[in-house]
Amino acid sequence: MAKGLAFVALSLIIGVLQSANAEVPAIFILGDSTVDVGTNNYLPDSNITANFPHNGVDFPFQRATGRFSNGLNTADFLAKFFGFKRSPVSFLSLNGTLAIKKRRFRGVNFASAGSGLLDITGQTSTQKANVVPMGEQVYQFSMVYNDLVASKGTSEAQNFLSKSLIFISVGSNDIVGNHYSKNPIPKEQFIPNLAVVYEKHLRNLISVGARKFGIISVPPVGCCPSQRVSANGECLKELNDQAEAFFSTIDTLMRNLSYENKDIKYSLGNTFNITKPVIDNPQNSSFTDVKNACCGNGTLHCTPLASLCSNRHKYLFWDLFHPTQAASRLAASILFVGDSRFATPINFSQLAEA
């Protein structure tokens, strides 16, 4: 993913936006901290939050919104590429009132930092409301479906959702959590288990009107600053192997699911292939630091007292786990217009037209 590829991606986005004919009525986002816009702010017992500096230092008015980023995240950029200002707001911020009748309804973000496909991921024995697990996010989506039916009628609600996009970014926390558990399940068993749970969630979404899925697979989590600490500064190969296995398994799952459900369209984004070349050959990218965190310098969590880099656009990682705004923009742009190395069988912009 060289500088040239980034320029080409952004140029293609401009062309796609100028020629796009398909209107996306709404965007719905499910997943973890890579696409969370502040859900956990509304969980009083959660200790997985980012609503404090230096988070948001490059967000408008330097607001720490709950995004694990110096600014916008991948969900925001994908939304912008489809003509939205940024990601829709968090479901929990709406206090149960979607205001579908009062104003134009453009979607909801259900994503919760620390969550995973498994209900247990991100939870602790004493804090059951630490995150909103994927199963609960899917249930929240069903609540939106019911409100749409009540407001628009069944036929119009289903037509509305059939043209809307469902973005899902999940799996990293499950993989990392299992790896560091007291009794980790072997990759050969654990990844297929995750796929079974993923399929259940997807089928539940399909049952309440979801038809177009933009699936974001797991990046090379073994190369996060948090993992390099325990690997003498190198990437943790076992976690990266699991990330690649996860993509292959979800690829098969989506092929089978779309074969069974002919009206289902999807794009499976390969963020491993997007990110790993940058890490392996940073000299070919716009990033000069692909190992350390901008906030906290790779060994400490990002807090108001942590060190903060000044050249944030040159860092791949914002904190111990998450990408910078610049990295998120690049990833989203390649998901939007990239070729089959990065999104299959179509890219995210083509998903809107499908």
Side-chain angles (χ1 to χ4, degrees):
M1 191 173 56
K3 295 179 183 178
L5 178 56
F7 176 79
V8 169
L10 293 175
S11 300
L12 285 172
I13 287 171
I14 294 173
V16 169
L17 292 177
Q18 290 175 340
S19 62
N21 295 315
E23 179 185 0
V24 177
I27 289 175
F28 300 93
I29 300 161
L30 301 92
D32 54 30
S33 56
T34 55
V35 288
D36 182 4
V37 295
T39 291
N40 290 11
N41 299 348
Y42 300 90
L43 300 176
D45 296 325
S46 180
N47 59 6
I48 308 176
T49 56
N51 55 345
F52 50 81
H54 298 294
N55 296 295
V57 64
D58 295 313
F59 197 84
F61 306 105
Q62 295 188 323
R63 285 191 298 130
T65 60
R67 291 166 171 83
F68 289 76
S69 171
N70 56 305
L72 301 179
N73 64 22
T74 303
D76 293 308
F77 286 112
L78 285 173
K80 286 169 71 70
F81 295 154
F82 283 105
F84 294 69
K85 182 178 180 180
R86 61 178 73 103
S87 165
V89 298
S90 164
F91 176 81
L92 293 186
S93 73
L94 299 172
N95 295 316
T97 304
L98 294 178
I100 292 174
K101 295 180 180 179
K102 297 180 181 179
R103 57 183 170 81
R104 192 180 182 194
F105 178 67
R106 301 297 306 276
V108 184
N109 188 314
F110 306 95
S112 172
S115 68
L117 290 161
L118 304 175
D119 287 345
I120 194 174
T121 299
Q123 305 286 17
T124 68
S125 58
T126 57
Q127 294 176 314
K128 293 300 183 182
N130 205 37
V131 303
V132 181
M134 190 68 177
E136 178 66 17
Q137 293 178 40
V138 173
Y139 173 73
Q140 292 172 348
F141 182 90
S142 73
M143 295 173 64
V144 173
Y145 171 77
N146 290 336
D147 283 353
L148 285 169
V149 169
S151 174
K152 300 174 177 290
T154 301
S155 179
E156 187 177 344
Q158 291 179 344
N159 182 59
F160 178 86
L161 288 175
S162 71
K163 297 177 181 177
S164 300
L165 301 180
I166 318 297
F167 297 142
I168 305 176
S169 179
V170 71
S172 296
N173 293 323
D174 299 289
I175 290 173
V176 174
N178 176 65
H179 179 77
Y180 287 105
S181 67
K182 292 182 180 179
N183 298 295
I185 301 171
K187 176 184 67 177
E188 294 75 17
Q189 179 183 350
F190 185 68
I191 299 301
N193 287 351
L194 285 184
V196 170
V197 179
Y198 210 149
E199 180 178 359
K200 181 189 72 172
H201 294 322
L202 290 169
R203 289 187 182 278
N204 286 338
L205 288 169
I206 292 169
S207 73
V208 286
R211 292 295 181 269
K212 292 186 176 184
F213 296 94
I215 306 294
I216 303 173
S217 191
V218 174
V221 287
C223 295
C224 291
S226 60
Q227 306 310 312
R228 287 183 182 271
V229 172
S230 60
N232 297 317
E234 300 301 319
C235 296
L236 199 57
K237 185 177 184 298
E238 171 59 25
L239 284 179
N240 284 350
D241 288 346
Q242 293 205 37
E244 289 191 285
F246 183 81
F247 175 84
S248 297
T249 303
I250 301 307
D251 185 23
T252 300
L253 166 62
M254 296 309 299
R255 289 173 187 268
N256 293 339
L257 200 60
S258 63
Y259 180 80
E260 177 185 334
N261 300 271
K262 300 301 183 183
D263 57 343
I264 299 302
K265 306 297 180 184
Y266 76 93
S267 175
L268 174 59
N270 192 335
T271 51
F272 193 100
N273 280 359
I274 291 174
T275 310
K276 196 59 164 61
V278 174
I279 294 171
D280 291 341
N281 298 288
Q283 70 277 6
N284 295 330
S285 76
S286 60
F287 300 102
T288 57
D289 194 320
V290 298
K291 293 184 177 182
N292 299 300
C294 171
C295 183
N297 199 29
T299 58
L300 300 173
H301 287 283
C302 184
T303 69
L305 298 178
S307 62
L308 179 67
C309 71
S310 59
N311 53 339
R312 293 180 284 279
H313 64 289
K314 293 294 185 179
Y315 275 69
L316 183 67
F317 291 101
W318 164 240
D319 59 17
L320 290 172
F321 305 95
H322 305 98
T324 56
Q325 174 176 265
S328 293
R329 179 192 292 113
L330 186 55
S333 68
I334 295 175
L335 289 171
F336 191 70
V337 296
D339 60 33
S340 59
R341 292 172 296 171
F342 310 115
T344 183
I346 55 178
N347 60 40
F348 280 30
S349 66
Q350 292 166 332
L351 182 64
E353 302 281 347

